[in-house]
Amino acid sequence: MHFRKMINVMLLVWVSFTSTTQAQEHPNLIMTQAGVEKMRNSLGKVPLFDASVQRVKQQVDAEIALGIDTPIPKDFSGGYTHQRHKQNFIIAQQAGALYQILQDNKYATYIRDMLFQYEAMYQSLPVHPQERSYARGKLFWQCLNDSNWLVYMSQAYDAIYDTLSIKERERLENNLFRPFADYISIENPQFYNRIHNHSTWGNAAVGMIALVMNDEALLQRALYGIEDDGLEVGARDNDGGFIKVEGQKAGFLANLEDPFSPDGYYTEGPYYQRYAMYPFLIFALAMHNVKPEMKVFEHKDNVLLKGVDALLNLTDAAGNFFPLNDGQKGMSYFTPALVSAVDIAFHYGTQNPQLLSIAEKQNEVLLDESGLSVALGIRDGKSQPFTKQSINLTDGQDGQQGGVGILRYGDEDLTLVFKYAAQGLSHGHYDKLSFSLYNKGNEVLQDYGLTRFVNIGQKGGGNYLKENKTWAKQTIAHNTLTVNETSHFNGDYEIGSQHHSQLYFFDSTNENLQVVSAKESNAYPGTEMHRTMAMIKLTEFEKPFLLDIMKVDSKSQNQYDLPFYFMGQVISTNFDYDSPLSLSPLGRDNGYQHLYLEGKGKPAVASTQFSWLGDGTFYTLTASTNVSDELLFTRLGANDPDFNLRRDAAFMLRRKATANTVFASVVEAHGSYNPVSELSVNSYSSIAELKVILDDKNYTAVLIKGVNRQTKTFIMANQDASSSTKHQVTIEGKSYKWKGAYQLF
Amino acid sequence: MHFRKMINVMLLVWVSFTSTTQAQEHPNLIMTQAGVEKMRNSLGKVPLFDASVQRVKQQVDAEIALGIDTPIPKDFSGGYTHQRHKQNFIIAQQAGALYQILQDNKYATYIRDMLFQYEAMYQSLPVHPQERSYARGKLFWQCLNDSNWLVYMSQAYDAIYDTLSIKERERLENNLFRPFADYISIENPQFYNRIHNHSTWGNAAVGMIALVMNDEALLQRALYGIEDDGLEVGARDNDGGFIKVEGQKAGFLANLEDPFSPDGYYTEGPYYQRYAMYPFLIFALAMHNVKPEMKVFEHKDNVLLKGVDALLNLTDAAGNFFPLNDGQKGMSYFTPALVSAVDIAFHYGTQNPQLLSIAEKQNEVLLDESGLSVALGIRDGKSQPFTKQSINLTDGQDGQQGGVGILRYGDEDLTLVFKYAAQGLSHGHYDKLSFSLYNKGNEVLQDYGLTRFVNIGQKGGGNYLKENKTWAKQTIAHNTLTVNETSHFNGDYEIGSQHHSQLYFFDSTNENLQVVSAKESNAYPGTEMHRTMAMIKLTEFEKPFLLDIMKVDSKSQNQYDLPFYFMGQVISTNFDYDSPLSLSPLGRDNGYQHLYLEGKGKPAVASTQFSWLGDGTFYTLTASTNVSDELLFTRLGANDPDFNLRRDAAFMLRRKATANTVFASVVEAHGSYNPVSELSVNSYSSIAELKVILDDKNYTAVLIKGVNRQTKTFIMANQDASSSTKHQVTIEGKSYKWKGAYQLF
């Protein structure tokens, strides 16, 4: 054993010996004596709480009837042993809550028996046989899942603590919990001592069991990490993420400090934020109950509770998280982690009545004081609609590393998600200044998300598939500019991690003209991209449209590819294109090897138009194009022998041998089609022409001419984002004067 | 003018002169004096009726506010003039109902003004400028839509008849209605005098206006057609359908006689049955009101009311019609035609309380006596769930031309649609013994449907696209056997129309073992196909599975292709396959030119398995294969320059140089995946092996071995479908005895 580890272990043994001699009442972790009293007294009086108790009771009773199984670990996440151990800790945690609420001993007995089965097997348990992880667990293939187990089992143990004899506790603590906590921490510092969602789970797991056992040394390890972990700077995990960076702190508080921006945005993106929120919140709540003086909820200006709000704002109208970076589509605020998040944020936050409407949709509450509090609020009619609005979420510990801008019109009729963030750690994509567009809960222009079938064993063990790197992370997989068929930062994680885009401005004060604008100058050295996206509602248009201005300045001549991953069926184009008889890959590398070319054309007129139909709505892209531009239709699926990729389509603008240029386009939602009425309504674009009428270092102006011949001109100041600077330009003999970074004339 | 036509017109003038001298009370067509009284007295007392009145009132009031527009016709179905004239007749019919119910003169004035605008324009109106139809209309591009107009406008006219002076009526009748009726009938006998849904609309239109005008000669023309139409036998319409067949009758009653089977199945399929039901039922209802002695509802043993029941049984769990033959997906029993059908079938049929539950889902009733009756039934709590069960619907006038067998398990948990019908007139597909499979409202193995974007002008004027012939109608587009890469009947409509498949037997008495079996011996001369499909639920399986036995006997060596158009994403295979770097069309013709080959392999073991995930359920196909079989993955989309086809996938079994053979396979639904819980449950097949253990002229036996090693043997008698014959065979030394056409041991 490494000398430093030995010291740690010795210290631990000593501290725990001393601390366990102090008396503590249980439960005190998530449930408290007072909270339990309230819940018992409320039974039968609070509909949603009662329903949640009944639902959980049914699940737990069914599992109790099945009997306890703690199989010898062998499978990846799709397999039986993985699912069984996962189910065990979920059910044990629930059984603990039921024991406290319903005071039925069978739940305590079930947990005790299960814990002793684990106690009996753990001491001789080798490292998990699956070798893929950089930090293999014992019950599961990675320490991450072992940590999940301990976070939940700590709660189960706390719930039945008082039912166990001192001897029983000693057996469990000495043979199971302490070795378990040590294994995921001091024996796996490469897992435990990082700034990463993995470590957050590890820290919370160690911290939770420390609080139950009243073990101060273990708690210190949870809060501040392992002081001297022996890790080398620059090491990587199996996802390619850094394990240790120079000068990096560790432990729960550091993890709370670093990945959250002051706005509560989590740098890995909402899919991982959803996953990370649970250990953050549940351990914060445990600290609130046991060590209120530490004020963990209030840490960094209430960043945890802000994070819940940020997360809810990172969903579409159906509650699905935007799949920024590695995100599996379909994950939504209906996940149990968000039930926890909403309940805790409501009860321990400002009792925001809008959170109650989310809880109503979730139709489920936690079996603790916060869940009761939410159910009471709903019962008493306090619920108000959660209104998502346009919001700018900064990224980075200090909010200075770019961000994500979300523009919404109406009741989520149209939602733009514009990403100008930092790399997002190992789950980040090379997608600077990318965007996705939603119409209510439907994707209009998609972000592909990840390439993984989470927990489906047949698909690479349920883990990330190689196409996640070769396709999903690549720039060409996103609605942003790819230069010379290479990804941003050349697809190099180390370089990407050093940079972030810069917000130019965000202005959503006028719902009918909302603008977000950002610059990126590091993705392609020598080439600067400046993208401005405006959501504009004009009275003569049925719905708002999105104006997209991508200004590129480069020291060299390049090929620019700007794809639009439209969802739906091609309806019409105003240009001709050739359709190859056989489909070949568009390129060799950087994601291009996965795209087939389905069509290739040239602009017929200066304003190229392409319409499609998706989910019953017509959409038209109108782009200002040059005669030498190429217009490509691509289809995903090349070099995909295992059918890991969806066969999704894109329309792509390609401009060759160009240095400075502007891509200006409008995406318009219009009309509808209904297969029952078979009525096709307003299926044509309202735009006749889109033209860049000025583009120089200081100003860019785009003219939009409607089919009714009315025109609008959008002018940007490219070098001064101040809202107070006065500008004046003359375009085609006409003078324009305005104040601020942009104006619509 | 043709001499016969002249005689007709003269006769008409004389008859109408005499008949209009008789007095009649109005309304008497769809609404009656007594019915109107009831509706007026019920206002405010019957929630669904009141809501329907309010909804219609809102629509009509909005249109009245817009003002009347009767533009000069110029557009195809996607365009403005088409939509406007269509909207006009819909709104006019509704305004008529509102006038009678609410007694507000503004509705009568609106209709009168609109009718006189039409009267003013109709006399000098030329034939519609779009030349595509074999029977061009005047207001619309085809007489069909003109007939729609007259069916609805007759109702509007009837509703305000009493508000008009005799002079006004004469103007409308002489300048608009009679010439209109003549145009779509005697001036277009190729449209009017067929056995076809087009003619049904024409007949109903002429009959409806005849009843309002009390014109007996016109009514005779509606009921019995034009006696001497001058049409040549063998002529075709622009869909390729026959216009006149030797010895064919015409008129409404002949159309009622011919395309409906005694079970109420309409030979063109449910999509067109839904369209045809409205004129059938609305004119039958008008006849019921004005000429009850004709007993049109009771015609052919109540076939019209049976047709409503058949149609409701031809839907999936979400109410969508199975897209047999030319059918646009998404059309459902929520269409207004089915609101009419359900209300009329309830009120004038046996007051089946199950129909009320469909009406509740539709959440809308007709503004007439039948709608009131339905709304009353719902108000009074009489509604019962509409339970769809397994059903065999015969095809053909006498029920002797094959049919469609539907097997359902549970509450539509699994639904098989097996088609062994006649050609289905000009909208038929070459898909003998094809099937589709549904899991609740989700397609598991799809029927492609049609290739048309109904009413979307940009897509070929909203009409049938050429890919409907080159792809959608072809055999390879369906889940059935294609021999030597040619379609059934060589894709020849004339030959196909002479034949139909033969039911072997249908048995759904035991829910856990339901079987349908049919033979086809004309699709490929010299080759007989015998397909048997069994829906089997075994206790050791989570869900029922589908056993599919396609037995082929041929005088020659052939290539057999049996595709499965699975919906979802490939999860796993138990065989290796090559994935081409470039995609090329699978063939040159008969639909093959539209398929790309995405993968090609050979069986690794005798039981080939392929699993996919669709709509949150896992599915596995297990097929008994030969070592020389080819296993193909295909993708639709080749030779589709306008992106008219969806990029759907198939898994295809190919067996070359074979005469007699059996394709035996099992399609299994199992487990689930949920992107919120990320739980993958029961994702593996429960079948270890599938083996044809006997196949000769008389018997075919298939052995199914479960992963638990338990085996089941399904034995078929191939030559005797009797349920009383006793059979005995010995297979691999074991003797099997049973009674009837099949047995599961």
Side-chain angles (χ1 to χ4, degrees), chain A residues 631-651:
Chain A
L631 308 171
L632 312 180
F633 281 106
T634 67
R635 176 82 50 184
L636 191 54
N639 284 292
D640 178 28
D642 297 327
F643 295 97
N644 289 335
L645 300 171
R646 302 188 302 268
R647 266 42 181 172
D648 295 341
F651 172 72

Side-chain angles (χ1 to χ4, degrees), chain B residues 611-624:
Chain B
S611 298
W612 71 97
L613 172 66
D615 289 308
T617 303
F618 292 98
Y619 300 95
T620 298
L621 174 78
T622 304
S624 164

